[in-house]
Amino acid sequence: MIPLAWALRAAGHDVLVMGQPDIQRTAHSAGLNSVSVGAPYHGNDSVLPYLPPGVRPLQALGRNNREVLPGAAKVYATHARYMIHAYLEVARGWRPDLVVGEQFDYTSLMIGGALGVPAVHHRWGVDPLTGPARPIAAIFLDGLCRRLGMDGLPEPHAVLDPCPPALQAPDAAPGTPIRFVPFNGAGARPDWVTERPAARRVCVTLGRQTLVTNGLPLLRHVIEAFDGLRDGGGADVEAVVTVDSRFRDQVGAVPPAVRLVDPTPLNLFLHTCDAVVHHGGCGSAMTATAAGLPQLVLPQLLDQFTVGDALADAGAGIGLDTAAAQDDPEQVRAAVTALLTDEAHRSAAGRLADAVRDMPSPARVASDLEQLVATGQSPAGAPALAAAS
């Protein structure tokens, strides 16, 4: 959402990021003004209590998209019930003309409904979740919405969709295209970016939550897969593995071809990589897609499985979606080798990157949002604000 916020600011509009303390650092690192509301979210409280010691979500739940969706929808709806009054107090004082929220932020729809202004949702990327979740949330929030003067949970005026159509979940409702522009945090480019000890380089990033949810053994198995790895032509392969400093000592010794680095904005070094290994989070997947890189996906829960499936179906990736496969260094090694040697994967990844570049820029969408605010309806003939169904 940050590139859209930049585009709105560049067009001369005031932008205020409203959220809990968790997001303040990100907003400020992006140069955006913010207001902190409520207490920290502690999102892992909805996951960790269900995991036995040393067991990660995939091992505990398996492929769980549909099975746990009702519970996941209620988590976000419960969040909205707790936060809406504090958010509304700030919003009524600031009086926005437009509200933009991420795909599960039901408070944004309620704020728009209560203030009588357009509210727009912004998808993360591949989205198998919001369609099935919305009816559950609508039931859960119906009474609260009516007490706030609405006829139930409002629909978004538009759903901004950064995912290329060829990658989007088949049952996702049509959305408004917006080009994915990577923002992976602010930081300085490390010196190692230009150092190439091997002919091929692979980025390994499991996000910020996988290790927290008992994923250290998985990371060790992935690292082991790079021990002595060479591509199909016999070229050495280097793995650049992002690891938060608090877990660094627990990783243990690594092979010579593995470089452990602090979490670094991916867009600072993916142009030096030949493939990406990640957990299926939309941030990692969309950044690698925009970079035109083939991807190995090791999903752990919810939409991450669909991300892996979508990349595999598009020919741009491989998914290992069982704990047995992910924990087998030989299977991981074989998958990485395939991504590095099969030209079909690279060609498919290039086509997806081209599709990303062909989507309307955040600046174009910001202009269309201006017309939405001014007229209350989508611009005539402009696909960028097709109403969500």
Side-chain angles (χ1 to χ4, degrees), residues 243-276:
V243 183
D244 193 285
S245 58
R246 58 182 161 155
F247 297 108
R248 185 69 65 84
D249 292 342
Q250 302 174 55
V251 173
V254 301
V258 172
R259 184 194 298 266
L260 298 184
V261 302
D262 292 332
T264 303
L266 297 180
N267 55 302
L268 286 180
F269 70 93
L270 281 194
H271 65 283
T272 72
C273 296
D274 300 286
V276 182

Side-chain angles (χ1 to χ4, degrees), residues 65-66 69-70 72-74 104 106 123 127-139 169 171-173:
N65 282 7
R66 301 298 179 182
L69 183 58
K74 289 181 180 178
F104 272 121
Y106 300 119
R123 280 177 171 150
D127 180 19
L129 300 179
T130 57
R134 181 180 171 78
I136 300 169
I139 294 171
D171 55 353

Side-chain angles (χ1 to χ4, degrees), residues 202-226:
V202 176
C203 168
V204 177
T205 177
L206 298 182
R208 292 189 177 271
Q209 300 305 311
T210 305
L211 299 189
V212 175
T213 53
N214 302 328
L216 268 169
L218 169 63
L219 179 61
R220 295 191 192 101
H221 295 312
V222 173
I223 288 174
E224 184 181 345
F226 285 90

